[in-house]
Amino acid sequence: MRHTFKFATAATALLVLTGCGGNEADAETKPTKAAPAVKPAPSPDTAQTAALMTELRKIKPELAADEERAVRRARNVCTDIKGDKPATLQASNANARYSGGTAGQLTDEQGAKIVAAVKATFCK
């Protein structure tokens, strides 16, 4: 009886250590579908930042209240542009990124204007 217990304990330990019999070779050889690489968004230089802030003020002055935040959000919009996302999704994402705080809730039309401003100023 003692030998049976030792054997059962050893067998259990072996299963735990080997992953309960899963075939690791199969897991390693199965290809995974990678997302297409998107180039990181460029950072606007000083002149481009000034132009971006001017365009954002035209859409809604509160969008330019915090320059660092506005540029960070614009870079995210640029990532959408460079990633060839549909125009409606770019506008919707821009709307979501810039809405809130002092700017309040934006419209998709304003989101589209933000996308146009990002394209015109530094995301080419």
Side-chain angles (χ1 to χ4, degrees):
M1 182 104 131
R2 193 179 284 180
H3 295 292
T4 304
F5 178 73
K6 286 181 181 177
F7 176 75
T9 303
T12 302
L14 182 60
L15 286 174
V16 169
L17 292 174
T18 61
C20 297
N23 190 345
E24 291 179 28
D26 286 344
E28 291 176 12
T29 58
K30 290 181 183 176
T32 57
K33 190 172 184 177
V38 176
K39 293 180 183 178
S43 292
D45 62 25
T46 305
Q48 292 169 326
T49 298
L52 174 66
M53 300 308 285
T54 298
E55 292 302 311
L56 291 176
R57 279 187 202 92
K58 289 178 186 176
I59 298 165
K60 190 166 189 177
E62 295 85 355
L63 296 177
D66 182 338
E67 183 177 294
E68 185 178 314
R69 181 182 299 156
V71 169
R72 188 173 55 245
R73 290 175 178 173
R75 290 186 73 223
N76 289 331
V77 170
C78 186
T79 298
D80 285 352
I81 294 166
K82 297 273 187 194
D84 291 327
K85 290 189 177 179
T88 55
L89 183 57
Q90 292 174 21
S92 176
N93 286 349
N95 174 347
R97 287 183 177 112
Y98 281 87
S99 285
T102 58
Q105 182 61 47
L106 302 178
T107 65
D108 284 341
E109 181 181 344
Q110 288 171 313
K113 288 180 180 180
I114 291 168
V115 172
V118 171
K119 285 180 180 178
T121 56
F122 78 95
C123 186
K124 301 172 182 183

